[in-house]
Amino acid sequence: MRPTLYIPADSGALALGAARVARAFETELLRRGLDVKVVRNGSRGLYFLEPMVEVETAAGRFAYGPVRAGDVASLLDAGLLDGGKHPLFLGETEKIPFLARQTRLTFARCGVIDPLSLDDYRAHDGLKGLEKAVAMAPADIVQTVTESGLRGRGGAGFPTGIKWKTVHDAAADRKYIVCNADEGDSATFADRMIMEGDPFVLIEGMAIAAIATGAQKGFVYIRSEYPHAVATMREAIRIATNAGVLGPSVLGSPHGFDIEVRVGAGAYVCGEETSLLNSLEGKRGVVRAKPPLPALEGLFGKPTVVNNVISLASVPIVLDRGAAFYKDFGMGRSRGTIPIQIAGNVRRGGLFEAAFGLTLGEIVEDVAGGTASGRPVKAVQVGGPLGAYFPPSLFTTPFDYEAFAQKDGLIGHAGITVFDDSADMLALAKFAFSFCAIESCGKCTPCRVGSVRGAEVLEKVATGVAREDNLALVAELCETMKFGSLCALGGFTPYPVMSAITHFPQDFAPRPRAQAAE
Amino acid sequence: MGMQPQGTETAARAAQIVEALRGVEGPLLPILHGLQEEFGHVPAEALPVVAEALNLSRAEVHGVVTFYHDFRREPGGRHVLKLCRAEACQSMGAEAIARQVQEALGIGFHETAADGSVTLEPVYCLGLCACAPSAMLDGEPIGRLDAATVAEIAAEVRR
């Protein structure tokens, strides 16, 4: 058997030197006259082991990592192509504990297959969901998605099937499927990984959504910070169109559906669905007041499904395996799996897909192995820049939409950032306001003005000016922003701010003069 | 770098880009990206051309250009370094790295080096949060920044 070598081309792997590793292999394989098939795959999401090189032999698929260009010669000397032993040998990939403990449904193929091989995609159960969907009545597809319990993975957690039903029921000459790939939250990279590692699953999910709702056109709105994802998605769409997965007759059915990639322009607020629609229309990315719902009057005033990448990428398996299969995973009203993105100061950072219900402590201590610095964990921000800071005393909170809401937090897009005890919570609270000020679209006053004032008032707290009064003012300002803002940017900025004040009061206490003067 | 084209030449090249893209749905952002790719920024001379073709006021086009962080109104450096300043990178010392980068390049954020070698821009997340602190140099990602990689970047942009 001619061995296959997998060298990731995922942005995260590239950031750690995967391109140099690939070049080193190319040179060394040529020099040794070895006949090897090289696949540039996505990432398995084990970033603490990236660049992770895999080899598929008759005996199985083995991993080595983290590999640097300088290791390549010694790896080949050690018989890497036959799964030979080496200090970087990790054993069978699927048995690496970080991976073995996961439940990979949405990410089943990510890092496994050649992202741009439709044959590889089919060989790994790809297109089975869409094949079923083309044979179903649209209303039945909507019903299946509703029954699966799938909720929007972008952060809001709105039931995907209900959204689709609204668009399905709306009468219009043109409807749109818009994929929100404006993944701007710090600590999140699941959308990027799917687009770079398994783009066809997103295309398949969008095509299913189109058939279910009667849409003719889809847009994937990708942030400009993801140039590699943009390139991979564009190429995958071209391949899918040539193969008849997209185009005038989806898989030979009477349904026509096309997809186009659009690139954002560095505005965080465009991750909010209505400002994303304005941006697609070529306008300033200003938030729209709701109603009207985008499901009724969305892109160019037409009924529009706006779903996150992971929501859409989870649809094919729901259709393929059935609503009951998917719903079986999870807890309470949070059904299925969630790709938890473990980031920041951790020993084992990466993507961990699991059924809802793991506790925050299990994720941070057990899965991630604590901090990279080896110092105690001080705070964990869950859900991106608009998510709350949790102290270790709340580590028993299970990963579940409702459980996090009960603790004044949110799951958001399921990114978690771990901070060690050197974190300055006052500085982070102030950063939350400053970030909101930089990214505010300016439409509503609580967000536009409140964010600027909030940062100013916290600066006063930092310098010890009327500390008690100013903290009370911050609390009041947060109330106004929470209830008076049009969208989640202004509305959720109070989460990081107030959680920092509530759980870490010592960081807001008077400071020694020398420190305060910094 | 080369010579700056004359105003009329800029307008003519802009008109070609506009013409190629005006037929797509919601053409303004694709056009602005096209202009920035061509010129390295969105030149003021191009705005009336865009406004005219899309039947918009110049004020509307100006409003869109200035809304988005990506669109530069002056030419940038030969290299563009985007340095992440968001939370996950902060948790791994991004603030200290930001100071080192500014010192190594001799410029602050939103500035271009006097020799035109590099523009430094802040960015809030590159999706490289499990390999923080991170940056992007001319579209290529760089993770786990430290003093050594900062020095490499500084040498690379001056080459």
Side-chain angles (χ1 to χ4, degrees):
Chain A
M1 176 181 170
R2 182 181 174 218
T4 305
L5 199 58
Y6 292 87
I7 309 170
D10 167 277
S11 290
L14 292 176
L16 299 172
R20 281 194 294 274
V21 171
R23 276 197 298 275
F25 267 110
E26 200 183 328
T27 311
E28 203 61 26
L29 290 170
L30 197 68
R31 197 176 68 80
R32 296 174 191 224
L34 293 166
D35 179 31
V36 177
K37 182 184 173 193
V38 176
V39 170
R40 300 302 302 272
N41 56 335
S43 174
R44 298 265 196 167
L46 282 63
Y47 284 111
F48 58 102
L49 296 175
E50 291 286 7
M52 188 174 89
V53 173
E54 290 176 80
V55 62
E56 191 158 32
T57 69
R61 191 156 160 167
F62 301 97
Y64 298 80
V67 176
R68 291 189 302 181
D71 300 321
V72 169
S74 76
L75 281 165
L76 287 168
D77 289 344
L80 162 128
L81 296 178
D82 302 308
K85 294 282 184 295
H86 185 277
L88 297 178
F89 183 66
L90 299 165
E92 266 186 77
T93 314
E94 304 277 349
K95 288 185 180 159
I96 298 172
F98 190 91
L99 202 52
R101 295 178 58 186
Q102 301 190 38
T103 306
R104 290 235 164 166
L105 302 185
T106 308
F107 282 79
R109 278 173 300 262
C110 193
V112 177
I113 63 167
D114 178 344
L116 290 172
S117 163
L118 200 52
D119 291 336
D120 222 359
Y121 183 67
R122 276 184 194 273
H124 288 80
D125 294 333
L127 293 180
K128 283 189 176 171
L130 182 57
E131 277 162 3
K132 288 196 177 151
V134 293
M136 287 167 77
D140 294 339
I141 303 174
V142 173
Q143 186 61 26
T144 302
V145 174
T146 307
E147 277 171 12
S148 75
L150 178 64
R151 294 167 70 175
R153 298 286 189 254
F158 189 82
T160 305
I162 306 286
K163 196 183 269 187
W164 288 18
K165 186 172 188 329
T166 310
V167 178
H168 170 271
D169 292 348
D173 58 341
R174 194 163 171 80
K175 296 180 186 178
Y176 294 99
I177 307 296
V178 171
C179 171
N180 183 345
D182 196 42
E183 183 178 53
D185 288 348
S186 179
T188 65
F189 42 84
D191 297 356
R192 178 184 62 66
M193 272 182 61
I194 277 287
M195 291 189 286
E196 294 178 352
D198 192 15
F200 292 122
V201 79
L202 176 57
I203 292 171
E204 184 179 354
M206 289 178 73
I208 294 169
I211 291 169
T213 58
Q216 300 84 7
K217 177 75 186 268
F219 286 99
V220 187
Y221 184 96
I222 308 177
R223 59 201 303 260
S224 61
E225 292 84 350
Y226 286 0
H228 292 274
V230 168
T232 308
M233 276 314 302
R234 283 196 166 137
E235 183 60 12
I237 289 166
R238 194 188 62 77
I239 292 167
T241 307
N242 285 343
V245 175
L246 297 173
S249 169
V250 171
L251 291 184
S253 74
H255 305 277
F257 184 60
D258 289 300
I259 301 179
E260 204 180 307
V261 168
R262 284 296 168 84
V263 182
Y268 172 78
V269 76
C270 289
E272 196 284 332
E273 61 176 2
T274 60
S275 84
L276 188 156
L277 293 175
N278 275 338
S279 184
L280 272 177
E281 289 181 10
K283 298 173 184 158
R284 293 164 67 89
V286 171
V287 173
R288 298 177 185 172
K290 287 191 266 193
L293 292 171
L296 295 172
E297 288 179 43
L299 189 61
F300 302 110
K302 302 294 183 186
T304 303
V305 169
V306 187
N307 276 153
N308 166 260
V309 172
I310 302 302
S311 316
L312 288 162
S314 299
V315 165
I317 196 162
V318 169
L319 266 287
D320 177 23
R321 306 291 294 272
F325 168 81
Y326 192 76
K327 194 178 183 169
D328 238 21
F329 298 94
M331 67 175 279
R333 286 175 50 220
S334 304
R335 311 310 313 178
T337 58
I338 178 98
I340 299 162
Q341 298 130 82
I342 305 167
N345 197 334
V346 281
R347 273 183 62 205
R348 291 187 288 270
L351 182 127
F352 193 88
E353 182 175 356
F356 284 94
L358 276 178
T359 67
L360 187 54
E362 284 175 292
I363 298 163
V364 173
E365 303 291 359
D366 208 16
V367 175
T371 61
S373 60
R375 302 171 66 100
V377 174
K378 178 169 182 176
V380 180
Q381 187 177 32
V382 184
L386 307 176
Y389 286 103
F390 279 59
S393 60
L394 289 178
F395 273 11
T396 51
T397 313
F399 230 75
D400 164 84
Y401 292 105
E402 280 68 38
F404 265 75
Q406 259 174 30
K407 305 284 185 199
D408 290 323
L410 49 99
I411 287 183
H413 192 41
I416 71 168
T417 301
V418 177
F419 291 84
D420 72 11
D421 62 353
S422 65
D424 175 349
M425 301 313 292
L426 196 160
L428 286 165
K430 197 180 136 200
F431 175 79
F433 275 132
S434 304
F435 178 72
C436 181
I438 293 166
E439 299 296 344
S440 176
C441 81
K443 174 125 172 173
C444 70
T445 315
C447 174
R448 185 185 65 244
V449 179
S451 55
V452 178
R453 292 288 174 261
E456 289 169 0
V457 175
L458 278 183
E459 182 54 36
K460 287 183 186 167
V461 173
T463 49
V465 178
R467 216 185 54 84
E468 294 295 328
D469 291 351
N470 278 319
L471 278 176
L473 197 58
V474 168
E476 205 176 301
L477 178 64
C478 281
E479 281 292 292
T480 304
M481 289 178 70
K482 192 170 177 180
F483 295 105
S485 299
L486 265 180
C487 83
L489 179 49
F492 288 2
T493 293
Y495 278 108
V497 174
M498 290 313 297
S499 60
I501 295 174
T502 305
H503 300 306
F504 307 92
Q506 67 281 9
D507 285 24
F508 295 80
R511 296 170 177 213
R513 188 173 290 275
Q515 231 179 309
E518 271 185 1
Chain B
M1 291 285 277
M3 285 189 298
Q4 281 294 316
Q6 299 294 316
T8 48
E9 196 184 321
T10 302
R13 278 158 67 195
Q16 286 172 359
I17 290 164
V18 171
E19 203 45 46
L21 290 166
R22 65 185 292 180
V24 305
E25 288 178 275
L28 186 48
L29 253 66
I31 286 173
L32 295 177
H33 275 302
L35 291 171
Q36 176 136 320
E37 198 169 308
E38 172 75 16
F39 300 104
H41 68 296
V42 180
E45 302 95 298
L47 298 188
V49 180
V50 177
E52 171 80 22
L54 302 186
N55 198 23
L56 296 169
S57 70
R58 289 184 196 188
E60 281 172 296
V61 177
H62 174 83
V64 173
V65 172
T66 53
F67 181 87
Y68 295 96
H69 299 303
D70 277 5
F71 299 129
R72 267 193 294 278
R73 292 156 76 199
E74 286 93 35
R78 288 189 298 281
H79 300 277
V80 176
L81 179 67
K82 295 184 177 193
L83 189 65
C84 182
R85 312 202 69 193
E87 289 88 343
C89 285
Q90 286 185 35
S91 78
M92 288 299 280
E95 286 308 293
I97 291 290
R99 284 192 294 273
Q100 292 173 26
V101 167
Q102 293 178 76
E103 200 170 308
L105 301 180
I107 49 173
F109 284 101
H110 303 291
E111 289 177 7
T112 299
D115 63 359
S117 58
V118 61
T119 299
L120 178 62
E121 291 177 351
V123 67
Y124 296 91
C125 198
L126 292 163
L128 305 170
C129 321
C131 8
S134 68
M136 190 170 266
L137 180 63
D138 303 328
E140 284 309 314
I142 308 168
R144 295 198 193 126
L145 290 173
D146 55 20
T149 38
V150 169
E152 271 176 48
I153 292 169
E156 168 78 27
V157 299
R158 294 213 177 92
R159 193 168 295 152

